[in-house]
Amino acid sequence: DTGVSQDPRHKITKRGQNVTFRCDPISEHNRLYWYRQTLGQGPEFLTYFQNEAQLEKSRLLSDRFSAERPKGSFSTLEIQRTEQGDSAMYLCASSSLERLTGELFFGEGSRLTVL
Amino acid sequence: AQRVTQPEKLLSVFKGAPVELKCNYSYSGSPELFWYVQYSRQRLQLLLRHISRESIKGFTADLNKGETSFHLKKPFAQEEDSAMYYCALRSSGKTSYDKVIFGPGTSLSVIP
């Protein structure tokens, strides 16, 4: 297992287009998190999952954002009708509840540029 | 509501000098605090947790519930410590259990 992987690593799109990011967590991890990070800021919480159940979605997130984890393994984050303000690094992280350490393991991120 | 603040965006120290990166939090429950670090061109990774009370790479951090702080300290900075440091808080209550939020980060630069 090579850790958390995200795809694509970079995405350039035009305003108004839809984009989808994929995250493959560490295989035995039941928690999966999505964060957004803009330049000079820390990771901003978007949503998180326990297996396939979405536990919470940030109130800051508009209805254009949706995330799924259909089989409790990989997850997708979709942004519909992208806006220039959506340009950011989208980070995925996973953790194991059973390990009790609370440590999050991060992917390298998917960088979105909206023109 | 949970909140993590890090008052310094940038911190520069000379090699061998002591380092303290500040972190304050607000949380109504019993918090779990972490420090994460991101070295250049690497992914974000855990540095240390308050529960384990360990020293990692010479860094320590003590949770002060009275001051709601979790400052990161190292007595003698090394050049390889230059990185972005993020303080993080993990919820332990019944609602939003295991939700983790991050502070804005402090960029540490160690001058040779």
Side-chain angles (χ1 to χ4, degrees):
Chain A
D1 195 346
T2 55
V4 178
S5 61
Q6 294 187 243
D7 183 73
R9 295 288 313 283
H10 304 275
K11 178 72 176 178
I12 300 173
T13 191
K14 292 183 179 178
R15 190 177 53 178
Q17 298 296 303
N18 299 345
V19 296
T20 299
F21 300 113
R22 176 180 170 125
C23 172
D24 286 89
I26 293 172
S27 56
E28 68 269 21
H29 284 185
N30 40 27
R31 293 279 179 151
L32 187 146
Y33 300 75
W34 284 101
Y35 293 88
R36 175 171 62 190
Q37 187 173 28
T38 53
L39 199 62
Q41 301 297 319
E44 175 193 1
F45 172 83
L46 296 180
T47 189
Y48 74 133
F49 292 84
Q50 162 80 10
N51 299 316
E52 66 275 9
Q54 187 171 23
L55 299 182
E56 185 174 329
K57 180 178 173 180
S58 170
R59 286 173 224 160
L60 301 174
L61 223 54
S62 78
D63 291 341
R64 297 184 296 107
F65 287 73
S66 63
E68 292 183 335
R69 195 182 182 199
K71 296 180 181 178
S73 56
F74 73 91
S75 176
T76 58
L77 176 69
E78 182 184 18
I79 309 173
Q80 295 182 326
R81 304 181 303 281
T82 52
E83 301 172 357
Q84 288 185 324
D86 297 332
S87 295
M89 178 74 85
Y90 289 84
L91 296 171
C92 177
S94 69
S95 71
S96 169
L97 260 184
E98 285 72 29
R99 289 194 62 192
L100 300 178
T101 64
E103 179 178 0
L104 298 186
F105 293 82
F106 280 86
E108 293 181 290
S110 293
R111 182 172 296 284
L112 174 64
T113 301
V114 182
L115 302 176
Chain B
Q2 303 162 246
R3 184 178 167 88
V4 177
T5 58
Q6 295 177 249
E8 304 131 334
K9 287 188 80 72
L10 298 168
L11 185 63
S12 294
V13 300
F14 285 101
K15 178 182 173 181
V19 174
E20 183 178 45
L21 289 84
K22 292 184 168 56
C23 170
N24 289 88
Y25 67 90
S26 61
Y27 181 56
S28 55
S30 181
E32 289 186 52
L33 276 296
F34 303 79
W35 278 99
Y36 281 79
V37 61
Q38 188 166 27
Y39 300 103
S40 179
R41 298 190 186 88
Q42 293 188 27
R43 60 184 74 189
L44 202 54
Q45 60 186 287
L46 179 68
L47 180 62
L48 56 77
R49 307 172 293 142
H50 93 265
I51 286 177
S52 55
R53 301 183 66 82
E54 56 200 343
S55 172
I56 303 291
K57 298 184 180 181
F59 284 99
T60 59
D62 290 318
L63 179 61
N64 185 323
K65 292 187 178 180
E67 295 183 359
T68 60
S69 69
F70 186 57
H71 302 328
L72 184 67
K73 299 177 183 179
K74 184 170 182 175
F76 308 104
Q78 303 299 315
E79 289 179 63
E80 55 266 29
D81 296 330
S82 295
M84 281 295 301
Y85 291 81
Y86 297 97
C87 184
L89 182 151
R90 178 191 185 203
S91 305
S92 58
K94 288 183 179 179
T95 58
S96 297
Y97 180 75
D98 212 30
K99 176 181 174 182
V100 181
I101 63 165
F102 288 80
T106 298
S107 176
L108 174 65
S109 177
V110 180
I111 305 163

